[in-house]
Amino acid sequence: MDAWVRFSAQSQARERLCRAAQYACSLLGHALQRHGASPELQKQIRQLEGHLSLGRKLLRLGNSADALESAKRAVHLSDVVLRFCITVSHLNRALYFACDNVLWAGKSGLAPRVDQEKWAQRSFRYYLFSLIMNLSRDAYEIRLLMEQESSACSRRLKGSGGGIPGGIETGGLGGPGTPGGGLPQLALKLRLQVLLLARVLRGHPPLLLDVVRNACDLFIPLDKLGLWRCGPGIVGLCGLVSSILSILTLICPWLRLKP
Amino acid sequence: MDAFTRFTNQTQGRDRLFRATQYTCMLLRYLLEPKAGKEKVVMKLKKLETSVSTGRKWFRLGNVVHAVQATEQSIRATELVPRLCLTLANLNRVIYFICDTILWVRSIGLASGINKEKWRTWAARHYYYSLLLSLGRDLYEISLQMEQVAHNRAKREKPSSQDPLEYSVADEETEWLQSFLLLLFRSLKQHPPLLLDTVKNFCDILNPLDQLGICKSNPGIIGLGGLVSSIAGMITVAYPQMKLKTR
């Protein structure tokens, strides 16, 4: 009970719960439609989803300030690539929240002349840019870690007296390759890279969580902007998974990726 | 901006801000309604008030657990009167939040068989009881404070003081009232959290009094009361030392 009180005292936590509920409703609605459930039930689920969406928009009022504050903090990072990616991502998030506030004003009747479609498209565009920046940052971190890991491995191998034939030293295989064994060598190299990637991600749960979350989130604006129509089922599932993962980072702060 | 972000990161901070907005809209609507040519503004204020009020329900979901935890904490209070008042007040809050959740389920269309009026009356009644008990506790604490201040002043005052007020020929009753009010003012000045809590509970009780028909007022007074209590709530969230602690 104490844990729930502490968790729900953060407004972001409540918003994430509503998001999880919203995408669960979307997924449920899609499943019910596929299995031919009663239109009454489908209408109730859609109504609940609409209520959740509008409620979330109200809960998010003021998040622009939070995003701008995060962007201000990110400007002081030492690494240039991280600084660029994170700052631009937060700025895009701030713009996304601003568009979202305009949509709320339109939906709640305060500004009835707001063009809902146009502002929705705008908001999804900013959301997409921010996710792309997040994924670029994740890719950069993965790349750094993979380099670190491979150089550490090669140091360990050199230290343990010579290389093991066919070992995990990726650099050595690249050398002047024999002309006949090009494709199998490439396949082996690829397999080693994948193994290294898996090792890096397994050793850094916050990074893995962030990558999966951003990748799942990516499907939502791609579908809504019409760039890659995956259907409401996939969008609902991805939204639900990413909401659960972000709730996890709120419950366990050590799982949050720190810049 | 950093302070604003820290404030709004707390659910209660954000909720109080929205509550202040909701009651400001109510107050402004009451003030602008009789004026001619302000119909559009009044309509927009009504829409804002409704959407903020509906959205705030999302903040209240799950507060049953908060109220149960508060009940557990208040059972451990040292003095009898605060322990009794706070425990009963929190129990009433638990019932209020249960009624509120049921009303929410009805409002989003998940269960249409619920009698909205009946549950709304129950919710208002239990909210009223909880505020009444909280005010009872505040009055007890104020009386304790006043006793202490009077005692301190009696100790500090020299026995040979020539206070002209004591020997005046003014009416005894007004003199008593004046010294009582002075004592009350001094006690509350020394204990800002108690003043804040009393003001908050007093302003909050105006709403259920009107809803239950015990003391009908107008939307202007309810709006003003709600706004003042929301500001008091925001102060306790922004400055946790201003929250009235249970001994």
Side-chain angles (χ1 to χ4, degrees), chain A residues 1-2 4 8-11 14 44 48 52 55 58-59 61 63 66 110, chain B residues 5 8-9 11 14 18 44 55 58-59 61-63 65-66 69 108-109:
Chain A
M1 201 161 63
D2 192 42
W4 161 256
S8 64
Q10 301 174 66
S11 60
R14 278 199 198 224
Q44 270 185 337
L48 179 60
L52 278 162
L58 182 83
L59 290 175
L61 283 179
N63 273 10
D66 190 36
L110 285 173
Chain B
T5 324
T8 53
N9 266 345
T11 307
R14 231 177 247 234
F18 286 144
K44 286 221 168 116
W58 295 105
F59 282 120
L61 278 183
N63 273 7
V65 182
H66 290 241
Q69 200 198 38
I108 57 168

PDB file of all heavy atoms in Angstrom, chain A residues 1-2 4 8-11 14 44 48 52 55 58-59 61 63 66 110, chain B residues 5 8-9 11 14 18 44 55 58-59 61-63 65-66 69 108-109:
ATOM      1  N   MET A   1       0.833  -1.209   0.000  1.00  0.00           N
ATOM      2  CA  MET A   1       0.000   0.000   0.000  1.00  0.00           C
ATOM      3  C   MET A   1       0.861   1.249   0.000  1.00  0.00           C
ATOM      4  O   MET A   1       0.571   2.218  -0.697  1.00  0.00           O
ATOM      5  CB  MET A   1      -0.887  -0.034   1.253  1.00  0.00           C
ATOM      6  CG  MET A   1      -2.099   0.840   1.113  1.00  0.00           C
ATOM      7  SD  MET A   1      -3.380   0.430   2.267  1.00  0.00           S
ATOM      8  CE  MET A   1      -2.635   0.746   3.827  1.00  0.00           C
ATOM      9  N   ASP A   2       1.911   1.201   0.811  1.00  0.00           N
ATOM     10  CA  ASP A   2       2.829   2.334   0.870  1.00  0.00           C
ATOM     11  C   ASP A   2       3.488   2.545  -0.486  1.00  0.00           C
ATOM     12  O   ASP A   2       3.693   3.676  -0.921  1.00  0.00           O
ATOM     13  CB  ASP A   2       3.885   2.055   1.956  1.00  0.00           C
ATOM     14  CG  ASP A   2       4.677   3.289   2.277  1.00  0.00           C
ATOM     15  OD1 ASP A   2       4.068   4.364   2.367  1.00  0.00           O
ATOM     16  OD2 ASP A   2       5.903   3.181   2.418  1.00  0.00           O
ATOM     17  N   TRP A   4       2.219   1.832  -3.439  1.00  0.00           N
ATOM     18  CA  TRP A   4       1.269   2.460  -4.356  1.00  0.00           C
ATOM     19  C   TRP A   4       1.164   3.955  -4.091  1.00  0.00           C
ATOM     20  O   TRP A   4       1.127   4.762  -5.015  1.00  0.00           O
ATOM     21  CB  TRP A   4      -0.114   1.808  -4.244  1.00  0.00           C
ATOM     22  CG  TRP A   4      -1.199   2.676  -4.801  1.00  0.00           C
ATOM     23  CD1 TRP A   4      -2.101   3.410  -4.106  1.00  0.00           C
ATOM     24  CD2 TRP A   4      -1.471   2.951  -6.177  1.00  0.00           C
ATOM     25  NE1 TRP A   4      -2.920   4.128  -4.954  1.00  0.00           N
ATOM     26  CE2 TRP A   4      -2.559   3.851  -6.223  1.00  0.00           C
ATOM     27  CE3 TRP A   4      -0.903   2.536  -7.376  1.00  0.00           C
ATOM     28  CZ2 TRP A   4      -3.090   4.344  -7.417  1.00  0.00           C
ATOM     29  CZ3 TRP A   4      -1.439   3.025  -8.561  1.00  0.00           C
ATOM     30  CH2 TRP A   4      -2.509   3.911  -8.576  1.00  0.00           C
ATOM     31  N   SER A   8       1.980   6.551  -6.923  1.00  0.00           N
ATOM     32  CA  SER A   8       0.952   7.399  -7.515  1.00  0.00           C
ATOM     33  C   SER A   8       1.109   8.860  -7.130  1.00  0.00           C
ATOM     34  O   SER A   8       0.390   9.702  -7.644  1.00  0.00           O
ATOM     35  CB  SER A   8      -0.437   6.909  -7.110  1.00  0.00           C
ATOM     36  OG  SER A   8      -0.590   7.024  -5.726  1.00  0.00           O
ATOM     37  N   ALA A   9       2.043   9.156  -6.209  1.00  0.00           N
ATOM     38  CA  ALA A   9       2.282  10.557  -5.860  1.00  0.00           C
ATOM     39  C   ALA A   9       3.001  11.289  -6.984  1.00  0.00           C
ATOM     40  O   ALA A   9       2.998  12.506  -7.035  1.00  0.00           O
ATOM     41  CB  ALA A   9       3.093  10.661  -4.578  1.00  0.00           C
ATOM     42  N   GLN A  10       3.622  10.534  -7.898  1.00  0.00           N
ATOM     43  CA  GLN A  10       4.246  11.177  -9.051  1.00  0.00           C
ATOM     44  C   GLN A  10       3.197  11.290 -10.145  1.00  0.00           C
ATOM     45  O   GLN A  10       2.572  10.298 -10.508  1.00  0.00           O
ATOM     46  CB  GLN A  10       5.396  10.314  -9.586  1.00  0.00           C
ATOM     47  CG  GLN A  10       6.476  10.041  -8.587  1.00  0.00           C
ATOM     48  CD  GLN A  10       7.479   9.076  -9.178  1.00  0.00           C
ATOM     49  OE1 GLN A  10       8.174   9.409 -10.121  1.00  0.00           O
ATOM     50  NE2 GLN A  10       7.542   7.888  -8.643  1.00  0.00           N
ATOM     51  N   SER A  11       3.047  12.493 -10.687  1.00  0.00           N
ATOM     52  CA  SER A  11       1.994  12.665 -11.690  1.00  0.00           C
ATOM     53  C   SER A  11       2.330  11.918 -12.979  1.00  0.00           C
ATOM     54  O   SER A  11       1.442  11.480 -13.704  1.00  0.00           O
ATOM     55  CB  SER A  11       1.758  14.144 -11.977  1.00  0.00           C
ATOM     56  OG  SER A  11       2.933  14.736 -12.467  1.00  0.00           O
ATOM     57  N   ARG A  14       0.940   8.340 -12.782  1.00  0.00           N
ATOM     58  CA  ARG A  14      -0.486   8.212 -13.089  1.00  0.00           C
ATOM     59  C   ARG A  14      -0.738   8.312 -14.580  1.00  0.00           C
ATOM     60  O   ARG A  14      -1.572   7.597 -15.127  1.00  0.00           O
ATOM     61  CB  ARG A  14      -1.257   9.307 -12.373  1.00  0.00           C
ATOM     62  CG  ARG A  14      -1.525   8.930 -10.958  1.00  0.00           C
ATOM     63  CD  ARG A  14      -2.613   9.710 -10.347  1.00  0.00           C
ATOM     64  NE  ARG A  14      -2.490   9.562  -8.910  1.00  0.00           N
ATOM     65  CZ  ARG A  14      -3.502   9.347  -8.110  1.00  0.00           C
ATOM     66  NH1 ARG A  14      -4.703   9.289  -8.613  1.00  0.00           N
ATOM     67  NH2 ARG A  14      -3.311   9.214  -6.826  1.00  0.00           N
ATOM     68  N   GLN A  44     -18.476   0.602 -25.768  1.00  0.00           N
ATOM     69  CA  GLN A  44     -18.057   0.960 -24.411  1.00  0.00           C
ATOM     70  C   GLN A  44     -16.543   1.069 -24.319  1.00  0.00           C
ATOM     71  O   GLN A  44     -16.004   1.988 -23.705  1.00  0.00           O
ATOM     72  CB  GLN A  44     -18.557  -0.095 -23.411  1.00  0.00           C
ATOM     73  CG  GLN A  44     -19.917   0.214 -22.871  1.00  0.00           C
ATOM     74  CD  GLN A  44     -20.346  -0.774 -21.808  1.00  0.00           C
ATOM     75  OE1 GLN A  44     -19.862  -1.901 -21.736  1.00  0.00           O
ATOM     76  NE2 GLN A  44     -21.269  -0.369 -20.988  1.00  0.00           N
ATOM     77  N   LEU A  48     -14.364   4.323 -23.434  1.00  0.00           N
ATOM     78  CA  LEU A  48     -13.379   4.359 -22.351  1.00  0.00           C
ATOM     79  C   LEU A  48     -12.037   4.848 -22.871  1.00  0.00           C
ATOM     80  O   LEU A  48     -11.358   5.659 -22.237  1.00  0.00           O
ATOM     81  CB  LEU A  48     -13.241   2.958 -21.738  1.00  0.00           C
ATOM     82  CG  LEU A  48     -12.238   2.791 -20.605  1.00  0.00           C
ATOM     83  CD1 LEU A  48     -12.577   3.686 -19.438  1.00  0.00           C
ATOM     84  CD2 LEU A  48     -12.195   1.349 -20.124  1.00  0.00           C
ATOM     85  N   LEU A  52      -9.987   8.090 -21.650  1.00  0.00           N
ATOM     86  CA  LEU A  52      -8.596   7.985 -21.195  1.00  0.00           C
ATOM     87  C   LEU A  52      -7.708   8.947 -21.976  1.00  0.00           C
ATOM     88  O   LEU A  52      -6.846   9.610 -21.402  1.00  0.00           O
ATOM     89  CB  LEU A  52      -8.083   6.552 -21.372  1.00  0.00           C
ATOM     90  CG  LEU A  52      -8.470   5.576 -20.262  1.00  0.00           C
ATOM     91  CD1 LEU A  52      -8.314   4.146 -20.719  1.00  0.00           C
ATOM     92  CD2 LEU A  52      -7.616   5.818 -19.041  1.00  0.00           C
ATOM     93  N   GLY A  55      -8.415  12.457 -20.815  1.00  0.00           N
ATOM     94  CA  GLY A  55      -7.915  12.625 -19.452  1.00  0.00           C
ATOM     95  C   GLY A  55      -6.407  12.757 -19.423  1.00  0.00           C
ATOM     96  O   GLY A  55      -5.845  13.589 -18.708  1.00  0.00           O
ATOM     97  N   LEU A  58      -5.232  16.182 -20.329  1.00  0.00           N
ATOM     98  CA  LEU A  58      -5.290  17.117 -19.213  1.00  0.00           C
ATOM     99  C   LEU A  58      -4.137  16.863 -18.259  1.00  0.00           C
ATOM    100  O   LEU A  58      -3.495  17.803 -17.787  1.00  0.00           O
ATOM    101  CB  LEU A  58      -6.623  16.968 -18.478  1.00  0.00           C
ATOM    102  CG  LEU A  58      -6.775  17.950 -17.315  1.00  0.00           C
ATOM    103  CD1 LEU A  58      -7.255  19.281 -17.804  1.00  0.00           C
ATOM    104  CD2 LEU A  58      -7.696  17.429 -16.264  1.00  0.00           C
ATOM    105  N   LEU A  59      -3.843  15.583 -17.996  1.00  0.00           N
ATOM    106  CA  LEU A  59      -2.747  15.259 -17.086  1.00  0.00           C
ATOM    107  C   LEU A  59      -1.418  15.765 -17.622  1.00  0.00           C
ATOM    108  O   LEU A  59      -0.502  16.025 -16.862  1.00  0.00           O
ATOM    109  CB  LEU A  59      -2.655  13.742 -16.878  1.00  0.00           C
ATOM    110  CG  LEU A  59      -3.768  13.084 -16.077  1.00  0.00           C
ATOM    111  CD1 LEU A  59      -3.590  11.582 -16.056  1.00  0.00           C
ATOM    112  CD2 LEU A  59      -3.770  13.602 -14.668  1.00  0.00           C
ATOM    113  N   LEU A  61      -0.935  18.567 -19.317  1.00  0.00           N
ATOM    114  CA  LEU A  61      -0.791  20.023 -19.400  1.00  0.00           C
ATOM    115  C   LEU A  61       0.361  20.455 -18.522  1.00  0.00           C
ATOM    116  O   LEU A  61       0.412  20.136 -17.360  1.00  0.00           O
ATOM    117  CB  LEU A  61      -2.067  20.716 -18.895  1.00  0.00           C
ATOM    118  CG  LEU A  61      -3.271  20.752 -19.822  1.00  0.00           C
ATOM    119  CD1 LEU A  61      -4.423  21.451 -19.129  1.00  0.00           C
ATOM    120  CD2 LEU A  61      -2.951  21.474 -21.100  1.00  0.00           C
ATOM    121  N   ASN A  63       3.546  19.685 -19.240  1.00  0.00           N
ATOM    122  CA  ASN A  63       4.725  18.851 -19.484  1.00  0.00           C
ATOM    123  C   ASN A  63       5.730  19.526 -20.392  1.00  0.00           C
ATOM    124  O   ASN A  63       6.895  19.110 -20.447  1.00  0.00           O
ATOM    125  CB  ASN A  63       4.302  17.506 -20.090  1.00  0.00           C
ATOM    126  CG  ASN A  63       3.966  16.493 -19.018  1.00  0.00           C
ATOM    127  OD1 ASN A  63       3.877  16.846 -17.856  1.00  0.00           O
ATOM    128  ND2 ASN A  63       3.757  15.263 -19.408  1.00  0.00           N
ATOM    129  N   ASP A  66       8.426  20.857 -18.316  1.00  0.00           N
ATOM    130  CA  ASP A  66       9.297  19.776 -17.867  1.00  0.00           C
ATOM    131  C   ASP A  66      10.294  19.401 -18.949  1.00  0.00           C
ATOM    132  O   ASP A  66      11.486  19.217 -18.684  1.00  0.00           O
ATOM    133  CB  ASP A  66       8.415  18.574 -17.500  1.00  0.00           C
ATOM    134  CG  ASP A  66       9.184  17.503 -16.805  1.00  0.00           C
ATOM    135  OD1 ASP A  66      10.087  17.846 -16.021  1.00  0.00           O
ATOM    136  OD2 ASP A  66       8.916  16.317 -17.043  1.00  0.00           O
ATOM    137  N   LEU A 110     -12.641  24.760 -25.650  1.00  0.00           N
ATOM    138  CA  LEU A 110     -12.165  26.111 -25.371  1.00  0.00           C
ATOM    139  C   LEU A 110     -11.817  26.861 -26.646  1.00  0.00           C
ATOM    140  O   LEU A 110     -11.956  28.069 -26.721  1.00  0.00           O
ATOM    141  CB  LEU A 110     -10.901  26.044 -24.500  1.00  0.00           C
ATOM    142  CG  LEU A 110     -11.130  25.714 -23.056  1.00  0.00           C
ATOM    143  CD1 LEU A 110      -9.799  25.520 -22.388  1.00  0.00           C
ATOM    144  CD2 LEU A 110     -11.878  26.836 -22.371  1.00  0.00           C
TER     145      LEU A 110
ATOM    146  N   THR B   5       8.390  22.813 -12.147  1.00  0.00           N
ATOM    147  CA  THR B   5       8.454  21.418 -12.589  1.00  0.00           C
ATOM    148  C   THR B   5       8.389  20.485 -11.391  1.00  0.00           C
ATOM    149  O   THR B   5       7.681  19.473 -11.422  1.00  0.00           O
ATOM    150  CB  THR B   5       9.765  21.158 -13.353  1.00  0.00           C
ATOM    151  OG1 THR B   5      10.081  22.303 -14.102  1.00  0.00           O
ATOM    152  CG2 THR B   5       9.644  19.984 -14.266  1.00  0.00           C
ATOM    153  N   THR B   8       4.783  20.450 -10.113  1.00  0.00           N
ATOM    154  CA  THR B   8       3.814  19.732 -10.941  1.00  0.00           C
ATOM    155  C   THR B   8       4.159  18.257 -11.099  1.00  0.00           C
ATOM    156  O   THR B   8       3.339  17.486 -11.571  1.00  0.00           O
ATOM    157  CB  THR B   8       3.698  20.351 -12.343  1.00  0.00           C
ATOM    158  OG1 THR B   8       4.995  20.439 -12.907  1.00  0.00           O
ATOM    159  CG2 THR B   8       3.061  21.706 -12.302  1.00  0.00           C
ATOM    160  N   ASN B   9       5.395  17.855 -10.719  1.00  0.00           N
ATOM    161  CA  ASN B   9       5.712  16.439 -10.788  1.00  0.00           C
ATOM    162  C   ASN B   9       4.962  15.648  -9.738  1.00  0.00           C
ATOM    163  O   ASN B   9       4.809  14.434  -9.854  1.00  0.00           O
ATOM    164  CB  ASN B   9       7.223  16.224 -10.593  1.00  0.00           C
ATOM    165  CG  ASN B   9       7.941  16.173 -11.912  1.00  0.00           C
ATOM    166  OD1 ASN B   9       7.307  16.028 -12.941  1.00  0.00           O
ATOM    167  ND2 ASN B   9       9.242  16.309 -11.887  1.00  0.00           N
ATOM    168  N   THR B  11       1.603  14.538  -7.991  1.00  0.00           N
ATOM    169  CA  THR B  11       0.197  14.456  -8.395  1.00  0.00           C
ATOM    170  C   THR B  11      -0.644  15.472  -7.637  1.00  0.00           C
ATOM    171  O   THR B  11      -1.491  16.153  -8.222  1.00  0.00           O
ATOM    172  CB  THR B  11      -0.342  13.053  -8.087  1.00  0.00           C
ATOM    173  OG1 THR B  11       0.507  12.097  -8.666  1.00  0.00           O
ATOM    174  CG2 THR B  11      -1.730  12.882  -8.631  1.00  0.00           C
ATOM    175  N   ARG B  14      -0.246  19.083  -8.968  1.00  0.00           N
ATOM    176  CA  ARG B  14      -0.972  19.305 -10.208  1.00  0.00           C
ATOM    177  C   ARG B  14      -2.470  19.344  -9.969  1.00  0.00           C
ATOM    178  O   ARG B  14      -3.189  20.172 -10.529  1.00  0.00           O
ATOM    179  CB  ARG B  14      -0.647  18.166 -11.185  1.00  0.00           C
ATOM    180  CG  ARG B  14      -0.218  18.643 -12.552  1.00  0.00           C
ATOM    181  CD  ARG B  14       0.142  17.490 -13.404  1.00  0.00           C
ATOM    182  NE  ARG B  14       1.558  17.513 -13.700  1.00  0.00           N
ATOM    183  CZ  ARG B  14       2.050  17.466 -14.920  1.00  0.00           C
ATOM    184  NH1 ARG B  14       1.251  17.400 -15.926  1.00  0.00           N
ATOM    185  NH2 ARG B  14       3.341  17.473 -15.118  1.00  0.00           N
ATOM    186  N   PHE B  18      -5.149  22.371 -10.811  1.00  0.00           N
ATOM    187  CA  PHE B  18      -6.354  22.223 -11.627  1.00  0.00           C
ATOM    188  C   PHE B  18      -7.601  22.570 -10.822  1.00  0.00           C
ATOM    189  O   PHE B  18      -8.553  23.154 -11.358  1.00  0.00           O
ATOM    190  CB  PHE B  18      -6.463  20.788 -12.154  1.00  0.00           C
ATOM    191  CG  PHE B  18      -5.500  20.476 -13.256  1.00  0.00           C
ATOM    192  CD1 PHE B  18      -4.920  19.223 -13.367  1.00  0.00           C
ATOM    193  CD2 PHE B  18      -5.163  21.426 -14.204  1.00  0.00           C
ATOM    194  CE1 PHE B  18      -4.032  18.944 -14.387  1.00  0.00           C
ATOM    195  CE2 PHE B  18      -4.277  21.150 -15.222  1.00  0.00           C
ATOM    196  CZ  PHE B  18      -3.712  19.898 -15.306  1.00  0.00           C
ATOM    197  N   LYS B  44     -17.290  29.527 -22.502  1.00  0.00           N
ATOM    198  CA  LYS B  44     -15.935  28.952 -22.527  1.00  0.00           C
ATOM    199  C   LYS B  44     -15.500  28.581 -21.113  1.00  0.00           C
ATOM    200  O   LYS B  44     -14.864  27.548 -20.902  1.00  0.00           O
ATOM    201  CB  LYS B  44     -14.932  29.957 -23.103  1.00  0.00           C
ATOM    202  CG  LYS B  44     -15.046  30.135 -24.581  1.00  0.00           C
ATOM    203  CD  LYS B  44     -13.701  30.216 -25.267  1.00  0.00           C
ATOM    204  CE  LYS B  44     -13.925  30.089 -26.759  1.00  0.00           C
ATOM    205  NZ  LYS B  44     -13.571  31.243 -27.516  1.00  0.00           N
ATOM    206  N   GLY B  55     -11.393  15.763 -15.898  1.00  0.00           N
ATOM    207  CA  GLY B  55     -10.022  15.274 -15.939  1.00  0.00           C
ATOM    208  C   GLY B  55      -9.453  15.019 -14.558  1.00  0.00           C
ATOM    209  O   GLY B  55      -8.659  14.094 -14.362  1.00  0.00           O
ATOM    210  N   TRP B  58      -9.290  11.549 -12.824  1.00  0.00           N
ATOM    211  CA  TRP B  58      -8.163  10.635 -13.022  1.00  0.00           C
ATOM    212  C   TRP B  58      -7.143  10.782 -11.914  1.00  0.00           C
ATOM    213  O   TRP B  58      -6.411   9.848 -11.594  1.00  0.00           O
ATOM    214  CB  TRP B  58      -7.508  10.887 -14.384  1.00  0.00           C
ATOM    215  CG  TRP B  58      -8.393  10.585 -15.513  1.00  0.00           C
ATOM    216  CD1 TRP B  58      -9.042  11.484 -16.312  1.00  0.00           C
ATOM    217  CD2 TRP B  58      -8.797   9.296 -15.971  1.00  0.00           C
ATOM    218  NE1 TRP B  58      -9.800  10.835 -17.239  1.00  0.00           N
ATOM    219  CE2 TRP B  58      -9.673   9.497 -17.063  1.00  0.00           C
ATOM    220  CE3 TRP B  58      -8.493   7.999 -15.575  1.00  0.00           C
ATOM    221  CZ2 TRP B  58     -10.258   8.451 -17.755  1.00  0.00           C
ATOM    222  CZ3 TRP B  58      -9.076   6.941 -16.265  1.00  0.00           C
ATOM    223  CH2 TRP B  58      -9.950   7.178 -17.341  1.00  0.00           C
ATOM    224  N   PHE B  59      -7.080  11.968 -11.300  1.00  0.00           N
ATOM    225  CA  PHE B  59      -6.163  12.160 -10.186  1.00  0.00           C
ATOM    226  C   PHE B  59      -6.678  11.488  -8.923  1.00  0.00           C
ATOM    227  O   PHE B  59      -5.917  11.157  -8.036  1.00  0.00           O
ATOM    228  CB  PHE B  59      -5.997  13.659  -9.881  1.00  0.00           C
ATOM    229  CG  PHE B  59      -5.092  14.378 -10.828  1.00  0.00           C
ATOM    230  CD1 PHE B  59      -5.560  15.439 -11.572  1.00  0.00           C
ATOM    231  CD2 PHE B  59      -3.777  13.995 -10.973  1.00  0.00           C
ATOM    232  CE1 PHE B  59      -4.716  16.099 -12.447  1.00  0.00           C
ATOM    233  CE2 PHE B  59      -2.939  14.657 -11.843  1.00  0.00           C
ATOM    234  CZ  PHE B  59      -3.412  15.715 -12.581  1.00  0.00           C
ATOM    235  N   LEU B  61      -8.505   8.651  -8.782  1.00  0.00           N
ATOM    236  CA  LEU B  61      -8.581   7.194  -8.827  1.00  0.00           C
ATOM    237  C   LEU B  61      -7.451   6.604  -7.998  1.00  0.00           C
ATOM    238  O   LEU B  61      -6.299   6.966  -8.146  1.00  0.00           O
ATOM    239  CB  LEU B  61      -8.425   6.696 -10.266  1.00  0.00           C
ATOM    240  CG  LEU B  61      -9.656   6.733 -11.144  1.00  0.00           C
ATOM    241  CD1 LEU B  61      -9.317   6.150 -12.485  1.00  0.00           C
ATOM    242  CD2 LEU B  61     -10.785   5.936 -10.527  1.00  0.00           C
ATOM    243  N   GLY B  62      -7.789   5.693  -7.141  1.00  0.00           N
ATOM    244  CA  GLY B  62      -6.748   5.057  -6.339  1.00  0.00           C
ATOM    245  C   GLY B  62      -6.478   5.790  -5.038  1.00  0.00           C
ATOM    246  O   GLY B  62      -5.674   5.329  -4.239  1.00  0.00           O
ATOM    247  N   ASN B  63      -7.180   6.915  -4.785  1.00  0.00           N
ATOM    248  CA  ASN B  63      -6.974   7.646  -3.536  1.00  0.00           C
ATOM    249  C   ASN B  63      -7.572   6.937  -2.350  1.00  0.00           C
ATOM    250  O   ASN B  63      -7.332   7.325  -1.207  1.00  0.00           O
ATOM    251  CB  ASN B  63      -7.554   9.059  -3.650  1.00  0.00           C
ATOM    252  CG  ASN B  63      -6.546  10.029  -4.227  1.00  0.00           C
ATOM    253  OD1 ASN B  63      -5.475   9.616  -4.645  1.00  0.00           O
ATOM    254  ND2 ASN B  63      -6.891  11.288  -4.265  1.00  0.00           N
ATOM    255  N   VAL B  65      -6.710   4.077  -1.403  1.00  0.00           N
ATOM    256  CA  VAL B  65      -5.543   3.505  -0.724  1.00  0.00           C
ATOM    257  C   VAL B  65      -4.859   4.570   0.129  1.00  0.00           C
ATOM    258  O   VAL B  65      -4.455   4.314   1.266  1.00  0.00           O
ATOM    259  CB  VAL B  65      -4.557   2.933  -1.767  1.00  0.00           C
ATOM    260  CG1 VAL B  65      -3.370   2.307  -1.095  1.00  0.00           C
ATOM    261  CG2 VAL B  65      -5.257   1.925  -2.638  1.00  0.00           C
ATOM    262  N   HIS B  66      -4.771   5.809  -0.416  1.00  0.00           N
ATOM    263  CA  HIS B  66      -4.168   6.908   0.343  1.00  0.00           C
ATOM    264  C   HIS B  66      -4.946   7.133   1.631  1.00  0.00           C
ATOM    265  O   HIS B  66      -4.366   7.318   2.705  1.00  0.00           O
ATOM    266  CB  HIS B  66      -4.215   8.202  -0.478  1.00  0.00           C
ATOM    267  CG  HIS B  66      -3.313   8.200  -1.645  1.00  0.00           C
ATOM    268  ND1 HIS B  66      -2.285   9.106  -1.801  1.00  0.00           N
ATOM    269  CD2 HIS B  66      -3.270   7.425  -2.745  1.00  0.00           C
ATOM    270  CE1 HIS B  66      -1.660   8.867  -2.936  1.00  0.00           C
ATOM    271  NE2 HIS B  66      -2.224   7.857  -3.527  1.00  0.00           N
ATOM    272  N   GLN B  69      -4.379   4.399   4.179  1.00  0.00           N
ATOM    273  CA  GLN B  69      -3.074   4.577   4.819  1.00  0.00           C
ATOM    274  C   GLN B  69      -3.126   5.704   5.837  1.00  0.00           C
ATOM    275  O   GLN B  69      -2.555   5.598   6.928  1.00  0.00           O
ATOM    276  CB  GLN B  69      -2.019   4.884   3.754  1.00  0.00           C
ATOM    277  CG  GLN B  69      -0.639   4.613   4.247  1.00  0.00           C
ATOM    278  CD  GLN B  69       0.407   5.289   3.407  1.00  0.00           C
ATOM    279  OE1 GLN B  69       0.231   6.404   2.937  1.00  0.00           O
ATOM    280  NE2 GLN B  69       1.521   4.637   3.233  1.00  0.00           N
ATOM    281  N   ILE B 108     -18.052   7.222 -17.114  1.00  0.00           N
ATOM    282  CA  ILE B 108     -17.407   6.835 -18.365  1.00  0.00           C
ATOM    283  C   ILE B 108     -18.193   5.772 -19.100  1.00  0.00           C
ATOM    284  O   ILE B 108     -17.762   5.275 -20.129  1.00  0.00           O
ATOM    285  CB  ILE B 108     -15.955   6.361 -18.143  1.00  0.00           C
ATOM    286  CG1 ILE B 108     -15.908   5.209 -17.172  1.00  0.00           C
ATOM    287  CG2 ILE B 108     -15.064   7.479 -17.709  1.00  0.00           C
ATOM    288  CD1 ILE B 108     -14.559   4.552 -17.152  1.00  0.00           C
ATOM    289  N   GLY B 109     -19.351   5.419 -18.547  1.00  0.00           N
ATOM    290  CA  GLY B 109     -20.265   4.553 -19.287  1.00  0.00           C
ATOM    291  C   GLY B 109     -20.027   3.070 -19.115  1.00  0.00           C
ATOM    292  O   GLY B 109     -20.552   2.274 -19.879  1.00  0.00           O
TER     293      GLY B 109
END
